[in-house]
Amino acid sequence: MNESCYLDGQASLEGLTVLAGRARRLILEMTHRAGMGHTGGSLSEVELLVALYFGGMRSIDPSRPDRPDRDRFILSKGHATPGYYSVLALRGYFSPELLETFDELGTPLQAHPDMHKLPGVDMSSGSLGQGLSCGIGMAMAAMADPSLGSFRTFVLMGDGELQEGQVWEAAGYAGALRLPGIVAIVDCNAVQLSTATGPFQAPDAVAARFRAFGWDASGVDGHDLAALMPAIASARERAGRGPVVLVATTVKGKGVSFMEGRCEWHGKAPDDGELARALAELGS
Amino acid sequence: MSAGVAQRAAFGRALVELAERYPKMVVLDPDVCPSTQTSLFRAAYPDRFYPMGIAEANAVCVAAGLASCGFVPWVSAFAVFLATRAADQVRVSVAHARQPVKLNGAYGGLPSGRGGATHSAVEDIAVMRTMPNMIVLTPADAAEAGAMVELAMETSAPVYLRTMRCELPDLFGVGWRPDIGRAVELAPGDDVAILSEGMMSARALEAAAILRRDGIAARVLHFGTIKPFDAEAVAKAARECGALVSVENHSRIGGLGSAVCEAAAESDPAVVVRLGFPDCFLESGDDERIFSRYGLDPAGIAAGAREALRRNGSDVSIRRAT
């Protein structure tokens, strides 16, 4: 089950696709077992996380999760832990069996990521809007301390999350400084908790808003691994010159027909029947 | 007691003095550096000074990110905006994430340069002391404020240091080194105990002098740390004095008075009179007139002590005569 030994950031496109499929199954099984969890936004971020953890991020090492020069990652959309934990497990940060404890009392797999309970989590999160600022602080640290090796910081946000004002405090701050080292990724899945997202959360609008704040913005299909791998590599490289945002067009609930694009599945777990139908759709 | 140095100046100087010893110390400024005196650090260490613009929420989380990579950031801003506007950022990215971010809540309490309701931080202690992992410090004078900057650098915990805008009388000399979590007895006595925080402690001493003239021996305990709280000092005062009066430059809800009541109720219940601001927003105006209106001057504190004695059934004059 643990692919990290032979993949280790060198996965083929075929291998990445297999990993994404496994992550989706793990997400569904995890939320089903726990009877809770943010299924929709976890399914929309799968390829983004696979691309980051299997090639996009540099110097990450599951056996040394606190390696000082590693690229950092912040799940600013902190509720989407089923997707995050699935990919961390596949990458070898912990045994996939631990996923069975998700959200149970005493588990390191808290409903929202806790950096002190789970090695590999670079920043605790859960209150929307804070991750970009934290990531900017990490990028400033990379600039101020050369011994950290000019690492990059990737921050994954939801499109709904961009309604939080702090995101734009952070965007304005980094943009005005032309701060290098920070890559924001927006999971534009078009659906938030209770409704479709608004016009300013649409991918083109998101890119335009970030550009107005001085960011280098580009768009990508967030489920197309063939496009994502070079897009992340390019963003990582361009981030040496200033802040970069990758606006990823995605589908909430991606891969399960009755979950796709439906806000009902923002924070809901599948029951027995729904799990069986979902897994059948995903295939093996 | 002579009028001494303002705590903000002592804070700004302490940052500069400690900068060489702590090369990872940096300062983040949400555009208030002339007011909170981090401008001194800006002049001395411009490469370690980050102007953050008028955006406290971003500043606190940027500090958390820096801290997660080995830096020790100070965010120095008006107390009211750190503790309430940025409360969620402090809670999640600093306290929950256990990052060694140091917060200087400048302009704590009433003295805000006559800023009135919006700028008077009278809830900040209540907010900060409910946050797990947070140390809350309320220095009495300039020397203690400077010493506490150093204490904050010595701990890996998040710290909220509450400093005053105004000049304050000197209570502790240069070289004073308080202990985190330990109340300091400023005056002995066992008729009544006055338990005070921050700038109120100098007034508490003056109140004790007034009471002494009437034959009342008031113990004065200065709480330079609100969290971790010295509950044992409260219990001892409750046992030995029976009557307590708490004095704070803060709302009577959730601050020192609440902590005193909690500690006394769980150990040695005693009469407690809580002096502080009532459940209202403050107004613009002269600081001392406002303090006096709410009994937060030496005469008002002495009156509070007498009230505590009366409610405790102590007839001090008779006891003294026999």
Side-chain angles (χ1 to χ4, degrees):
Chain A
M1 190 69 197
N2 186 340
E3 271 76 8
S4 65
C5 27
Y6 64 89
L7 285 166
D8 197 28
Q10 304 297 317
S12 65
L13 191 57
E14 204 171 40
L16 294 173
T17 307
V18 170
L19 282 168
R22 291 203 175 151
R24 285 210 160 78
R25 297 180 73 88
L26 290 174
I27 289 166
L28 293 163
E29 288 164 358
M30 195 186 325
T31 57
H32 167 259
R33 189 181 297 106
M36 63 76 68
H38 288 82
T39 310
S42 287
L43 291 170
S44 70
E45 73 187 359
V46 164
E47 282 80 9
L48 299 171
L49 291 170
V50 165
L52 284 168
Y53 276 93
F54 290 89
M57 288 163 69
R58 304 275 175 83
S59 304
I60 58 169
D61 180 354
S63 69
R64 261 181 83 200
D66 57 352
R67 185 176 154 161
D69 64 343
R70 71 191 186 281
D71 280 1
R72 265 68 167 179
F73 173 77
I74 301 175
L75 185 74
S76 191
K77 45 176 282 189
H79 53 275
T81 40
Y84 185 33
Y85 295 154
S86 295
V87 173
L88 287 179
L90 290 170
R91 186 66 177 81
Y93 282 88
F94 52 84
S95 163
E97 286 156 23
L98 191 63
L99 296 173
E100 295 173 15
T101 69
F102 171 61
D103 199 46
E104 284 183 8
L105 188 61
T107 183
L109 305 186
Q110 295 287 298
H112 297 88
D114 185 331
M115 64 193 295
H116 297 291
K117 294 190 191 300
L118 187 63
V121 172
D122 292 319
M123 179 55 70
S124 300
S125 60
S127 179
L128 294 177
Q130 298 189 19
L132 187 57
S133 301
C134 295
I136 286 167
M138 292 177 181
M140 289 161 65
M143 275 189 77
D145 183 351
S147 80
L148 296 173
S150 300
F151 67 80
R152 299 288 194 259
T153 302
F154 295 88
V155 178
L156 180 58
M157 293 183 285
D159 49 0
E161 179 179 3
L162 303 186
Q163 292 159 0
E164 289 283 2
Q166 185 184 348
V167 172
W168 303 101
E169 291 185 9
Y173 177 74
L177 283 180
R178 307 269 323 132
L179 180 75
I182 180 86
V183 178
I185 302 176
V186 184
D187 180 0
C188 277
N189 63 27
V191 176
Q192 53 192 96
L193 189 149
S194 67
T195 181
T197 54
F200 303 124
Q201 277 72 52
D204 287 349
V206 170
R209 291 165 84 189
F210 272 96
R211 280 193 196 104
F213 279 77
W215 289 55
D216 170 348
S218 55
V220 67
D221 177 340
H223 298 304
D224 180 357
L225 283 160
L228 265 178
M229 296 307 287
I232 287 174
S234 166
R236 195 184 181 287
E237 190 272 320
R238 276 146 48 216
R241 299 186 287 278
V244 174
V245 61
L246 195 55
V247 183
T249 301
T250 61
V251 174
K252 193 139 179 166
K254 173 71 176 179
V256 180
S257 62
F258 58 91
M259 295 181 182
E260 286 189 357
R262 297 178 60 90
C263 63
E264 292 82 353
W265 285 96
H266 169 86
K268 187 176 132 178
D271 62 22
D272 292 347
E274 288 161 341
L275 176 69
R277 283 167 58 206
L279 292 179
E281 282 193 21
L282 287 174
S284 55
Chain B
M1 284 179 292
S2 59
V5 182
Q7 284 182 331
R8 54 177 173 162
F11 169 76
R13 284 179 206 160
L15 291 180
V16 174
E17 284 163 13
L18 292 166
E20 293 289 333
R21 199 193 316 167
Y22 294 100
K24 288 297 185 74
M25 182 171 90
V26 294
V27 174
L28 280 64
D29 170 41
D31 196 31
V32 286
C33 66
S35 305
T36 76
Q37 301 276 293
T38 53
S39 50
L40 299 172
F41 189 90
R42 176 176 67 175
Y45 296 94
D47 294 345
R48 292 160 62 183
F49 178 88
Y50 297 107
M52 300 303 298
I54 309 163
E56 291 82 3
N58 182 53
V60 167
C61 291
V62 166
L66 278 159
S68 77
C69 297
F71 286 85
V72 184
W74 279 91
V75 183
S76 178
F78 293 165
V80 72
F81 302 124
L82 274 182
T84 51
R85 188 185 193 99
D88 186 46
Q89 286 75 18
V90 172
R91 177 175 182 269
V92 174
S93 291
V94 175
H96 173 58
R98 295 209 303 272
Q99 294 303 324
V101 172
K102 317 299 174 181
L103 305 164
N104 174 41
Y107 294 19
L110 166 67
S112 61
R114 304 175 71 134
T118 56
H119 281 56
S120 300
V122 296
E123 309 90 353
D124 58 330
I125 294 175
V127 170
M128 288 295 171
R129 71 182 276 265
T130 58
M131 294 208 189
N133 304 325
M134 185 65 72
I135 291 174
V136 180
L137 302 175
T138 52
D141 66 0
E144 192 169 54
M148 284 177 166
V149 174
E150 191 170 353
L151 291 179
M153 291 304 295
E154 289 170 1
T155 172
S156 61
V159 171
Y160 180 72
L161 173 69
R162 188 185 205 235
T163 54
M164 298 298 113
R165 179 182 191 275
C166 54
E167 291 190 353
L168 298 176
D170 286 327
L171 282 187
F172 305 109
V174 176
W176 166 245
R177 194 179 157 81
D179 293 320
I180 289 179
R182 186 79 53 83
V184 179
E185 186 176 289
L186 298 178
D190 56 11
D191 291 330
V192 61
I194 306 174
L195 299 84
S196 53
E197 60 75 36
M199 68 175 285
M200 290 294 118
S201 290
R203 293 159 191 245
L205 267 182
E206 289 187 55
I210 294 171
L211 293 164
R212 199 175 304 120
R213 291 199 283 274
D214 292 341
I216 300 170
R219 177 181 307 183
V220 177
L221 288 174
H222 164 59
F223 286 76
T225 310
I226 303 290
K227 190 180 183 182
F229 190 62
D230 191 349
E232 180 48 41
V234 175
K236 188 164 179 284
R239 277 195 306 275
E240 296 173 359
C241 307
L244 311 178
V245 54
S246 64
V247 192
E248 61 196 304
N249 173 24
H250 184 269
S251 168
R252 280 161 41 188
I253 300 174
L256 175 69
S258 294
V260 166
C261 289
E262 291 156 13
E266 290 179 347
S267 57
D268 293 87
V271 164
V272 181
V273 169
R274 289 175 300 134
L275 298 181
F277 297 113
D279 186 17
C280 67
F281 286 102
L282 300 181
E283 298 172 38
S284 302
D286 176 68
D287 289 343
E288 287 311 320
R289 288 186 64 185
I290 298 174
F291 275 135
S292 294
R293 176 194 285 182
Y294 296 116
L296 294 171
D297 55 8
I301 297 167
R306 289 194 184 91
E307 169 68 8
L309 281 167
R310 190 188 62 74
R311 278 166 41 189
N312 193 40
S314 313
D315 192 333
V316 173
S317 57
I318 292 172
R319 187 147 64 84
R320 294 278 157 197
T322 54

